[in-house]
Amino acid sequence: MTRQVILEKALELFTEKGYDAASMDDIATAVGIRKASLYAHFEGKERIFLEIYHGILEEYTRVIDALTAPSAEGAIEALERIFMEYL
């Protein structure tokens, strides 16, 4: 649970402040844990960022796979469905 909260709060901080400006102290404070505890979960800010990035990439891949799965509909209908689900 704490690991997921760290990733969520870090993503918020990276979005708000940018990667360089968001510090491990900022992340620990946002999560409500000590900085040392943060390092018990992740070896550093880069590792947190990479976990976030890979999670987003995996979700994007799942969405694209679902949107482009073969179906009985025609090409126009498939493109309309993909467009509408993307929005």
Side-chain angles (χ1 to χ4, degrees):
M1 181 67 176
T2 301
R3 190 174 177 87
Q4 186 60 36
V5 172
I6 292 168
L7 294 173
E8 290 169 6
K9 294 296 183 181
L11 178 56
E12 289 174 15
L13 287 167
F14 294 157
T15 302
E16 178 186 317
K17 293 181 153 193
Y19 174 81
D20 289 331
S23 68
M24 290 294 276
D25 283 323
D26 294 334
I27 297 168
T29 299
V31 175
I33 61 176
R34 293 181 340 212
K35 187 175 174 181
S37 298
L38 186 57
Y39 280 102
H41 293 280
F42 295 97
E43 63 190 43
K45 186 169 71 166
E46 183 176 348
R47 177 54 52 196
I48 294 171
F49 179 83
L50 288 173
E51 293 238 4
I52 292 169
Y53 174 79
H54 286 122
I56 291 170
L57 186 59
E58 287 173 9
E59 178 61 22
Y60 179 76
T61 301
R62 280 192 295 275
V63 168
I64 295 300
D65 286 347
L67 289 175
T68 59
S71 69
E73 63 195 352
I76 296 296
E77 292 83 9
L79 285 172
E80 287 174 349
R81 178 182 51 79
I82 290 168
F83 180 73
M84 294 306 292
E85 288 183 31
Y86 180 75
L87 292 177

